[in-house]
Short mmCIF file of all heavy atoms in Angstrom, two decimals:
data_model
loop_
_atom_site.label_atom_id
_atom_site.label_comp_id
_atom_site.label_asym_id
_atom_site.label_seq_id
_atom_site.Cartn_x
_atom_site.Cartn_y
_atom_site.Cartn_z
N LEU A 89 44.39 34.67 -2.55
CA LEU A 89 44.37 36.08 -2.16
C LEU A 89 43.01 36.66 -2.08
O LEU A 89 42.78 37.44 -1.18
CB LEU A 89 45.33 36.88 -3.12
CG LEU A 89 46.80 36.57 -3.19
CD1 LEU A 89 47.49 37.33 -4.26
CD2 LEU A 89 47.43 36.78 -1.81
N ASP A 90 42.16 36.25 -3.02
CA ASP A 90 40.80 36.77 -2.97
C ASP A 90 40.00 36.33 -1.77
O ASP A 90 39.12 36.99 -1.28
CB ASP A 90 40.08 36.44 -4.26
CG ASP A 90 40.65 37.04 -5.49
OD1 ASP A 90 41.32 38.10 -5.33
OD2 ASP A 90 40.49 36.52 -6.61
N ASN A 91 40.30 35.06 -1.29
CA ASN A 91 39.54 34.43 -0.19
C ASN A 91 40.23 34.48 1.11
O ASN A 91 39.74 33.94 2.01
CB ASN A 91 39.15 32.98 -0.59
CG ASN A 91 38.39 32.86 -1.89
OD1 ASN A 91 37.54 33.78 -2.19
ND2 ASN A 91 38.65 31.74 -2.66
N VAL A 92 41.34 35.17 1.20
CA VAL A 92 42.11 35.09 2.45
C VAL A 92 41.29 35.82 3.56
O VAL A 92 41.24 35.34 4.72
CB VAL A 92 43.51 35.81 2.20
CG1 VAL A 92 43.27 37.29 1.88
CG2 VAL A 92 44.35 35.65 3.54
N ALA A 93 40.52 36.86 3.30
CA ALA A 93 39.81 37.49 4.32
C ALA A 93 38.62 36.64 4.76
O ALA A 93 38.46 36.55 5.97
CB ALA A 93 39.19 38.90 3.73
N THR A 94 37.96 35.94 3.80
CA THR A 94 36.88 35.01 4.22
C THR A 94 37.44 33.90 5.03
O THR A 94 36.77 33.47 6.06
CB THR A 94 36.17 34.48 2.94
OG1 THR A 94 35.72 35.59 2.23
CG2 THR A 94 35.04 33.67 3.30
N LEU A 95 38.57 33.39 4.65
CA LEU A 95 39.14 32.18 5.42
C LEU A 95 39.54 32.68 6.88
O LEU A 95 39.27 31.85 7.80
CB LEU A 95 40.45 31.73 4.66
CG LEU A 95 40.18 30.97 3.39
CD1 LEU A 95 41.48 30.62 2.70
CD2 LEU A 95 39.33 29.77 3.60
N LEU A 96 40.10 33.80 7.02
CA LEU A 96 40.47 34.33 8.33
C LEU A 96 39.20 34.48 9.17
O LEU A 96 39.17 34.07 10.30
CB LEU A 96 41.20 35.61 8.21
CG LEU A 96 42.63 35.47 7.62
CD1 LEU A 96 43.27 36.90 7.50
CD2 LEU A 96 43.47 34.54 8.45
N ARG A 97 38.14 35.06 8.64
CA ARG A 97 36.90 35.18 9.30
C ARG A 97 36.21 33.76 9.70
O ARG A 97 35.67 33.64 10.71
CB ARG A 97 35.95 36.09 8.62
CG ARG A 97 36.29 37.57 8.51
CD ARG A 97 35.30 38.36 7.77
NE ARG A 97 33.94 38.15 8.38
CZ ARG A 97 33.51 38.90 9.38
NH1 ARG A 97 34.35 39.79 9.99
NH2 ARG A 97 32.24 38.70 9.84
N THR A 98 36.38 32.84 8.73
CA THR A 98 35.80 31.53 9.00
C THR A 98 36.55 30.89 10.23
O THR A 98 35.92 30.20 11.08
CB THR A 98 35.95 30.70 7.70
OG1 THR A 98 35.20 31.34 6.64
CG2 THR A 98 35.32 29.28 7.98
N GLN A 99 37.83 30.96 10.25
CA GLN A 99 38.60 30.41 11.37
C GLN A 99 38.15 31.04 12.71
O GLN A 99 38.02 30.37 13.64
CB GLN A 99 40.10 30.62 11.15
CG GLN A 99 40.60 29.88 9.95
CD GLN A 99 42.05 30.04 9.66
OE1 GLN A 99 42.68 30.88 10.40
NE2 GLN A 99 42.69 29.37 8.73
N HIS A 100 37.94 32.37 12.66
CA HIS A 100 37.56 33.07 13.88
C HIS A 100 36.10 32.57 14.27
O HIS A 100 35.86 32.31 15.47
CB HIS A 100 37.55 34.51 13.58
CG HIS A 100 36.94 35.28 14.79
ND1 HIS A 100 37.51 35.47 15.97
CD2 HIS A 100 35.67 36.00 14.85
CE1 HIS A 100 36.74 36.14 16.72
NE2 HIS A 100 35.61 36.49 16.10
N LEU A 101 35.22 32.39 13.28
CA LEU A 101 33.88 31.93 13.62
C LEU A 101 33.91 30.50 14.13
O LEU A 101 33.07 30.09 15.04
CB LEU A 101 33.02 32.00 12.40
CG LEU A 101 32.71 33.42 11.94
CD1 LEU A 101 31.83 33.40 10.67
CD2 LEU A 101 31.92 34.15 13.02
#
Side-chain angles (χ1 to χ4, degrees):
L89 293 177
D90 294 337
N91 298 328
V92 63
T94 304
L95 291 175
L96 292 176
R97 288 181 57 83
T98 302
Q99 294 176 358
H100 171 72
L101 292 176

